[in-house]
Amino acid sequence: MKLSILLVDDSKFVRKGMVKELPDILKGRELVFSEAGNGNEALELLYANSYDIVFLDLTMPEKTGYEVLESLKEKGIKANIIVLTADIQPESERIVRSLGAAGYMEKQRPLNRDALMKVLQEMNIL
């Protein structure tokens, strides 16, 4: 089964790490990646395409992850968004979930496989 994945992070290093790690976590799936380095690029891609999974950082230039979520909610666009951030606080999680995020994870190197698998199971992707 093919999965289209959008990686939204201002760090190219983080995006490249995800491209390297996700195939091992999502074994047996053909993965097609798209990338955005800021919130504006993310919105352009999300308005034009649909993705099976979107990994979204909160702290980015131009538009934050919060602003991306707000824009999508205003336009009625639903997406399987997993917020992947260093800003792990209960209030942040409550806000992003109220804006439509399906998952919320701490950004770690290497990626926390168990946490990601739990989120993907909750989203019925695994």
Side-chain angles (χ1 to χ4, degrees):
M1 177 181 180
K2 186 190 299 189
L3 287 177
S4 60
I5 299 173
L6 175 59
L7 305 172
V8 184
D9 199 298
D10 56 321
S11 169
K12 189 171 188 164
F13 177 76
V14 169
R15 295 192 314 265
K16 294 301 175 198
M18 296 285 290
V19 168
K20 186 176 179 181
E21 291 181 48
L22 285 172
D24 192 44
I25 294 168
L26 296 165
K27 290 178 180 163
R29 308 253 183 138
E30 179 185 347
L31 306 181
V32 178
F33 292 101
S34 297
E35 297 181 28
N38 62 57
N40 285 331
E41 290 176 7
L43 287 173
E44 282 182 33
L45 290 169
L46 286 161
Y47 292 159
N49 307 286
S50 63
Y51 296 92
D52 296 306
I53 308 169
V54 178
F55 289 94
L56 178 66
D57 186 23
L58 291 181
T59 308
M60 297 181 293
E62 298 184 35
K63 278 198 189 307
T64 67
Y66 294 108
E67 291 170 315
V68 169
L69 289 166
E70 288 170 356
S71 295
L72 294 173
K73 187 173 183 174
E74 286 172 8
K75 292 201 178 278
I77 297 172
K78 296 194 184 284
N80 285 323
I81 297 174
I82 299 171
V83 170
L84 193 60
T85 183
D87 181 19
I88 291 294
Q89 297 180 34
E91 183 63 12
S92 298
E93 181 174 5
R94 186 193 65 72
I95 291 168
V96 299
R97 289 197 182 269
S98 73
L99 293 171
Y104 186 83
M105 290 181 51
E106 183 175 4
K107 188 188 295 184
Q108 299 176 339
R109 285 291 296 156
L111 189 62
N112 183 332
R113 293 167 180 260
D114 292 336
L116 177 57
M117 291 176 79
K118 181 180 178 196
V119 170
L120 292 173
Q121 286 170 343
E122 290 170 358
M123 296 167 60
N124 294 317
I125 291 175
L126 280 183

